[in-house]
Amino acid sequence: MPSVGVCRWRSSPLSAVLRRSFVVDLLPPSRSQLCGAVPCDFPSPDAVGRRIRLLKIWWKELMVLGATTTAASGVGPLGPVLGDFPFAEKLAPPVVAPTPPAPPPVSPPANCHASRGDAAWAPPPHPSARRARIKRPPACLRLPPPHHQHTHHALPVIPPPRPPSSAHRPPSIQDRRAMGTVVDAPTVVTENEEVAVNMLGDKKVTVVFVLGGPGSGKGTQCANIVEHFGFTHLSAGDLLRAELKSGSENGTMIENMIKEGKIVPSEVTIALLKEAMIKNDNDKFLIDGFPRNEENRAAFEHVTKISPAFVLFFDCSEEEMEKRLLGRNEGRVDDNIETIRKRFKVFVESSLPVIEYYKAKDKVKKIDAAKPIAEVFEDVKAIFAPYAKTA
Ligand SMILES: Nc1ncnc2c1ncn2[C@@H]1O[C@H](COP(=O)(O)OP(=O)(O)O)[C@@H](O)[C@H]1O
Ligand SMILES: Nc1ccn([C@H]2C[C@H](O)[C@@H](COP(=O)(O)OP(=O)(O)O)O2)c(=O)n1
């Protein structure tokens, strides 16, 4: 049994939309493997059904991880709280079959160019991973390429995005563990949806996602875009830092995630972004540093029904980004060499797949961000020309 499960209902002050969350925290050492929240918004009977389904899947994953359900922090044991789940039938813990013995080592297929020692190759999943709800791509395509330091970020060889269908979900925790990737972000089970209406209340919005590695110059160029093209800049990192300083109940969790270079649960970041967009009169937003993983992306689409006009991707070598971050001098707790390396790893493993997702939709505009600031902005300007202010 790896850890103690803590479960509670709580009201989120962050957003009227994410009113209630079913929160499950695993204490160390499993905290880094699984920590997150299933947003439970109940606008319609359909949505209730879907949430219950998601909750069941999540519950099973917890059980498979072997979480015990002991009460901790005075918030109550998992079972009784699940029993209180409004609208839900009782969610009995699934019977978990004993894990079969590990299969003998398998060599990569002849037509797979990666070698066994290569992170790009993964053996077929252990039978315990058979619960996967998605059709798995060929093993040799499953992982991003190995993480080399000081290299440009060629987009990883990953399977093309799944077609939008409620039958397809991001890989489960077991899938990711079977793949051998680090589960660096909490998992919210979300569905791929293509329901963009781009409306926030009665305002139609244009959103551009600004992505790139830490220190690639996203914030610097966003300031230029704001000045020349009338967008409002929303940095996910800045919003999270402001939230932690505000003394919010999520403050400690956010601080720890940032210090560790990890990605904060989507519901927190999305609520902050949504609130900021609603409060602002502008209808054109640069969302900087988000979505940082597939969970961020799918949850944002699900909650906001907003799809980006395009994704601005700042491509830069790690060597250059590291130099810039170490010279940034903004007093950030995560601009130290140890956390920087972790952030690079998270970027390659979790953020590049998001860029790949949008690339397949022909929505990525890639910029060579290694050039001097003014030259980078020349390239950015060409992309934003259609949004030139007409005053
Ligand atoms: N093209 C560039 N060339 C050199 N330094 C840059 C460039 N763009 C940004 N910087 C500097 O690098 C550091 C990181 O830039 P920043 O915009 O904060 O990156 P990000 O928002 O992507 O983390 C800052 O100190 C910034 O002044
Ligand atoms: N979508 C996001 C964006 C940022 N964060 C957290 C984790 C990131 O390492 C920190 C800092 O992000 P920020 O975008 O400000 O900084 P860098 O691009 O890494 O320089 O915030 C997050 O958890 N989720």
Side-chain angles (χ1 to χ4, degrees):
M1 291 291 162
S3 66
V4 175
V6 182
C7 177
R8 62 201 149 101
W9 280 103
R10 66 135 202 241
S11 296
S12 167
L14 295 174
S15 154
V17 174
L18 294 169
R19 277 188 300 275
R20 306 181 89 171
S21 300
F22 172 77
V23 179
V24 176
D25 262 348
L26 289 183
L27 301 182
S30 289
R31 194 188 188 99
S32 60
Q33 294 166 349
L34 178 64
C35 165
V38 179
C40 292
D41 183 26
F42 302 112
S44 70
D46 269 6
V48 173
R50 188 160 56 199
R51 286 301 174 209
I52 292 172
R53 255 190 3 252
L54 297 182
L55 200 54
K56 278 181 174 173
I57 292 163
W58 222 60
W59 170 236
K60 281 184 195 159
E61 288 181 345
L62 260 180
M63 289 302 104
V64 170
L65 275 181
T68 57
T69 57
T70 319
S73 316
V75 289
L78 197 56
V81 178
L82 275 173
D84 291 345
F85 184 54
F87 316 107
E89 68 260 47
K90 272 263 194 282
L91 299 174
V95 178
V96 181
T99 311
V106 189
S107 297
N111 61 351
C112 179
H113 298 300
S115 70
R116 189 176 163 69
D118 190 330
W121 180 79
H126 184 272
S128 63
R130 257 191 250 127
R131 294 168 54 260
R133 294 175 299 279
I134 56 166
K135 193 171 183 303
R136 300 174 73 88
C140 65
L141 293 182
R142 236 178 271 142
L143 294 177
H147 175 242
H148 295 302
Q149 280 186 351
H150 309 318
T151 52
H152 266 273
H153 290 122
L155 295 180
V157 182
I158 60 168
R162 293 175 289 277
S165 151
S166 61
H168 294 275
R169 295 193 171 84
S172 70
I173 289 161
Q174 280 70 40
D175 295 332
R176 293 208 239 162
R177 292 172 98 200
M179 290 175 196
T181 52
V182 179
V183 180
D184 49 56
T187 297
V188 171
V189 183
T190 46
E191 299 169 33
N192 278 335
E193 289 171 286
E194 288 277 331
V195 281
V197 286
N198 288 6
M199 295 296 293
L200 265 184
D202 55 3
K203 144 171 112 169
K204 186 152 182 81
V205 294
T206 300
V207 163
V208 173
F209 287 149
V210 183
L211 298 178
S216 57
K218 301 182 293 294
T220 304
Q221 295 300 334
C222 281
N224 287 335
I225 300 166
V226 166
E227 194 184 327
H228 288 78
F229 299 102
F231 276 71
T232 292
H233 175 208
L234 299 177
S235 155
D238 286 351
L239 287 169
L240 289 168
R241 282 183 286 273
E243 177 71 1
L244 91 84
K245 280 195 191 131
S246 75
S248 123
E249 59 167 351
N250 290 316
T252 310
M253 180 273 291
I254 295 172
E255 188 173 21
N256 289 337
M257 298 299 255
I258 289 180
K259 270 188 194 155
E260 281 301 307
K262 291 181 179 168
I263 299 170
V264 171
S266 298
E267 68 146 356
V268 174
T269 318
I270 291 169
L272 292 169
L273 286 168
K274 193 168 178 198
E275 191 180 35
M277 283 193 283
I278 289 170
K279 273 189 187 161
N280 197 294
D281 286 340
N282 202 347
D283 58 1
K284 292 188 290 181
F285 296 97
L286 296 169
I287 299 194
D288 163 8
F290 183 98
R292 251 180 160 86
N293 60 13
E294 275 292 305
E295 180 210 354
N296 271 184
R297 180 195 65 69
F300 183 84
E301 283 175 18
H302 174 72
V303 171
T304 66
K305 311 283 183 266
I306 292 172
S307 187
F310 60 90
V311 174
L312 193 60
F313 169 42
F314 289 104
D315 187 34
C316 195
S317 70
E318 286 188 4
E319 190 177 25
E320 176 65 18
M321 293 193 290
E322 184 179 304
K323 202 170 71 189
R324 291 180 189 175
L325 291 174
L326 291 174
R328 182 150 65 177
N329 279 331
E330 285 178 2
R332 278 178 48 170
V333 290
D334 53 349
D335 278 352
N336 58 76
I337 190 65
E338 196 189 332
T339 313
I340 287 171
R341 297 253 157 91
K342 288 182 187 165
R343 287 153 71 199
F344 286 163
K345 189 162 156 38
V346 168
F347 176 70
V348 171
E349 289 178 354
S350 302
S351 309
L352 282 179
V354 174
I355 294 162
E356 186 67 25
Y357 172 89
Y358 285 115
K359 191 171 167 238
K361 290 177 170 285
D362 210 16
K363 281 198 170 186
V364 174
K365 302 201 187 283
K366 183 164 139 182
I367 298 275
D368 176 2
K371 298 194 282 187
I373 294 175
E375 284 179 39
V376 175
F377 189 53
E378 283 307 308
D379 294 345
V380 169
K381 264 203 287 202
I383 290 169
F384 277 83
Y387 299 93
K389 285 193 216 170
T390 50

